Amino acid sequence: MLAATSSSIIGLAGLAVMGQNLALNIADKGFPISVYNRTTSKVDETVERAKEEGNLPVYGYHDPESFVQSIQKPRVIIMLVKAGAPVDQTIKTLSAYLEKGDCIIDGGNEWYENTERREKAMAELGLLYLGMGVSGGEEGARHGPSLMPGGSLEAFKYIEDILLKVAAQVPDSGPCVTYIGKGGSGNFVKMIHNGIEYGDMQLIAEAYDVLKSVGKLSNEELQSVFSEWNKGELLSFLIEITADIFGIKDDKGDGHLVDKVLDKTGMKGTGKWTVQQAAELSVAAPTIEASLDARFLSGLKEERVEAAKVFKSSGFGSILNDETVDKKKLIDDVRKALYAAKICSYAQGMNLIRAKSIEKGWDLKLGELARIWKGGCIIRAIFLDRIKKAYDRNPNLANLLVDPEFAKEIIDRQSAWRRVVCLAINSGISTPGMSASLAYFDTYRRESLPANLVQAQRDYFGAHTYERIDMEGSFHTEWFKLAKQTRT
């Protein structure tokens, strides 16, 4: 079962679901690959799968030394292991057998600063290092993911021809991979991609909640609605799989499976990192933050069950409107609200990437990021083509909201968006994502905000000073003394 030849062009260490599938994808594209995993049964399993899926050139190794020796020089090894300490351990294991000029690529969801630390440490050993975001889940990894490599440009050049073939292929815009930039930029961009994904999923869940709870749509009707939406402006992977979910019957009982799934959302941490970065960079990302909060609240299932009893017993149970709802109108309104709210979520993500790029000097190209997200990744959507075009029109676009095309689309949909949010509020249905997106839009489009009062308060209690709208300079007023005089 094990190979003794050194004919592999590349190596891959870490054979959980993503690692196995990416290894098979690489082999499928005609690149012989060596694979290694600490738990050797995974190695055997991967080689067996390679045989079953068309005698693919996958060679398994049970020890790190023979694994490294089997790869052509300069060696390139992709790691797909759990972020944090396991990555450092794998690097330590492999680097013992690597030589100057060899390259390690971390394909996991790693914190970008860890990648920058490792790149420096590897450089001291004469090794090259890349941090590469891989999006698309197991299906994407096997048949074509979106790849976000950042770090050593020299290392990227080693592997560019492989990545161009392995990545998802989009007919009108090419392979979904590009050299992102220096340092940890690849990991950072993948992290923000995941934050946008959190927002997307939350907004879709809210659309479902309003249609089901207020519109009383059945799962069959929901499947039909989402399938229809997937033919228009909302065409995307997440809308497509949502339509699929509503059609799956429960194999362990009656009814549909979606109704039996516990309403507690898990998370791996990239959404939380995104929100922390938003705070660090002083960039507003309320839709992404609302989606994270929604996941936190979903985790309080037992508390929510008790709270529901408390409010029911005080006559504040379900306050859903009993009025008959025009289903057709509601479906159209929710579609428009979902699209408008989604624009805000992506705008926030892009602004985060730009702010970090400026801080770190990465010179990231936002339009190019939209292009490589068009295929393979979880947030792939026809809508990304419009984002790419917006940045092509104006690379220095301050915010997606003010791109002429997106501005017009929001204006056309804002009445429906407001109706959906009002209907949800009046029905006691929480729509934190849609509401946060609407508040973001309404705040961003206003020339004057009540921040003048907040700044006056800050100067009153803390002498923080303020600026004026009618003259230059910084001012401080003895508010307390003046107020005291007016009181007497």
Side-chain angles (χ1 to χ4, degrees):
M1 175 317 301
L2 300 180
T5 58
S6 61
S7 59
S8 293
I9 287 173
I10 189 168
L12 191 143
L15 296 170
V17 175
M18 290 292 282
Q20 270 194 32
N21 281 299
L22 191 62
L24 293 167
N25 181 355
I26 291 168
D28 217 357
K29 299 302 186 294
F31 301 103
I33 182 168
S34 295
V35 295
Y36 164 74
N37 195 79
R38 213 170 50 168
T39 308
T40 54
S41 59
K42 290 281 186 192
V43 176
D44 303 349
E45 191 184 302
T46 308
V47 171
E48 198 51 46
R49 267 190 73 189
K51 277 186 191 146
E52 287 165 13
E53 295 184 24
N55 274 326
L56 302 174
V58 173
Y59 306 105
Y61 293 87
H62 285 175
D63 71 285
E65 185 174 7
S66 52
F67 163 67
V68 171
Q69 300 302 340
S70 73
I71 304 160
Q72 288 178 11
K73 297 179 190 177
R75 302 181 185 91
V76 176
I77 297 174
I78 298 174
M79 294 182 299
L80 272 161
V81 297
K82 200 176 171 194
V87 175
D88 290 310
Q89 188 53 54
T90 306
I91 290 172
K92 193 176 171 188
T93 302
L94 298 176
S95 59
Y97 310 106
L98 292 173
E99 298 170 49
K100 282 190 177 177
D102 289 349
C103 169
I104 295 179
I105 299 170
D106 178 11
N109 275 332
E110 187 54 273
W111 175 238
Y112 81 98
E113 288 180 338
N114 286 341
T115 296
E116 298 193 330
R117 165 176 63 78
R118 290 173 187 138
E119 190 188 358
K120 284 196 184 86
M122 291 293 96
E124 285 169 20
L125 300 173
L127 301 174
L128 304 177
Y129 197 81
L130 275 178
M132 181 171 72
V134 179
S135 178
E138 58 181 292
E139 193 63 24
R142 179 65 185 85
H143 299 291
S146 174
L147 300 169
M148 296 154 249
S152 163
L153 179 58
E154 194 185 338
F156 174 71
K157 290 293 179 195
Y158 278 6
I159 197 178
E160 185 175 14
D161 58 337
I162 297 178
L163 298 183
L164 287 170
K165 286 198 172 72
V166 165
Q169 309 291 318
V170 176
D172 61 342
S173 60
C176 293
V177 60
T178 191
Y179 173 68
I180 301 291
K182 292 177 292 192
S185 59
N187 294 120
F188 188 87
V189 165
K190 172 62 165 60
M191 176 187 78
I192 302 297
H193 160 288
N194 287 21
I196 294 171
E197 183 186 302
Y198 272 51
D200 246 354
M201 292 169 78
Q202 177 63 26
L203 292 170
I204 292 169
E206 291 172 20
Y208 155 64
D209 197 6
V210 172
L211 293 175
K212 180 189 174 188
S213 304
V214 185
K216 302 286 188 282
L217 270 73
S218 66
N219 286 318
E220 286 81 5
E221 287 172 310
L222 287 164
Q223 184 183 19
S224 170
V225 165
F226 276 81
S227 298
E228 196 54 41
W229 284 358
N230 202 43
K231 293 173 188 167
E233 64 199 4
L234 289 168
L235 190 156
S236 63
F237 174 68
L238 285 169
I239 294 289
E240 180 190 329
I241 68 168
T242 302
D244 288 345
I245 288 166
F246 292 128
I248 305 293
K249 294 280 173 62
D250 183 9
D251 60 348
K252 295 180 175 59
D254 296 333
H256 287 78
L257 183 56
V258 68
D259 299 324
K260 311 286 175 67
V261 176
L262 181 66
D263 53 325
K264 277 173 79 166
T265 310
M267 68 192 95
K268 292 277 180 69
T270 43
K272 189 189 285 188
W273 289 348
T274 301
V275 170
Q276 287 168 338
Q277 277 297 292
E280 288 282 328
L281 293 162
S282 304
V283 172
T287 312
I288 297 170
E289 287 159 14
S291 69
L292 185 68
D293 287 339
R295 291 194 183 197
F296 294 153
L297 283 164
S298 80
L300 305 177
K301 177 67 178 179
E302 296 76 15
E303 289 182 42
R304 288 188 288 111
V305 168
E306 290 308 310
K309 290 177 193 166
V310 169
F311 292 107
K312 268 189 187 123
S313 66
S314 58
F316 189 79
S318 175
I319 52 170
L320 288 168
N321 289 330
D322 290 328
E323 308 159 30
T324 50
V325 174
D326 179 340
K327 270 192 191 183
K328 200 175 167 203
K329 179 89 175 88
L330 179 65
I331 290 165
D332 193 52
D333 277 357
V334 172
R335 173 181 61 78
K336 289 173 177 168
L338 177 55
Y339 185 77
K342 185 179 164 98
I343 293 172
C344 293
S345 184
Y346 281 69
Q348 292 160 28
M350 288 303 194
N351 287 353
L352 277 169
I353 291 171
R354 185 179 48 214
K356 196 69 182 180
S357 176
I358 291 166
E359 180 192 272
K360 302 286 287 183
W362 284 338
D363 192 28
L364 303 184
K365 305 285 185 286
L366 299 182
E368 181 66 352
L369 300 182
R371 181 190 71 75
I372 68 165
W373 289 344
K374 279 172 61 181
C377 70
I378 304 301
I379 64 171
R380 63 183 181 265
I382 197 165
F383 164 80
L384 282 154
D385 206 37
R386 316 183 75 117
I387 295 180
K388 180 185 181 307
K389 285 173 179 162
Y391 288 114
D392 285 350
R393 281 191 291 274
N394 178 7
N396 300 314
L397 186 66
N399 191 303
L400 278 179
L401 299 182
V402 294
D403 169 73
E405 281 199 20
F406 279 126
K408 183 180 183 305
E409 288 183 329
I410 283 190
I411 291 161
D412 292 347
R413 288 163 180 74
Q414 68 157 335
S415 298
W417 191 7
R418 294 180 195 286
R419 279 196 297 274
V420 170
V421 170
C422 289
L423 177 66
I425 290 168
N426 290 332
S427 304
I429 299 290
S430 60
T431 50
M434 283 188 187
S435 304
S437 280
L438 185 57
Y440 178 78
F441 168 65
D442 280 337
T443 304
Y444 190 71
R445 68 178 178 79
R446 282 187 69 190
E447 189 180 339
S448 297
L449 291 171
N452 56 323
L453 178 59
V454 177
Q455 197 55 15
Q457 291 170 332
R458 292 180 74 243
D459 190 51
Y460 188 127
F461 65 68
H464 292 292
T465 75
Y466 58 90
E467 292 174 81
R468 293 177 60 104
I469 58 173
D470 54 355
M471 57 184 78
E472 290 290 314
S474 183
F475 298 87
H476 169 58
T477 296
E478 298 284 349
W479 302 87
F480 179 70
K481 283 182 185 169
L482 293 173
K484 204 172 175 188
Q485 286 165 20
T486 58
R487 285 193 205 120
T488 53

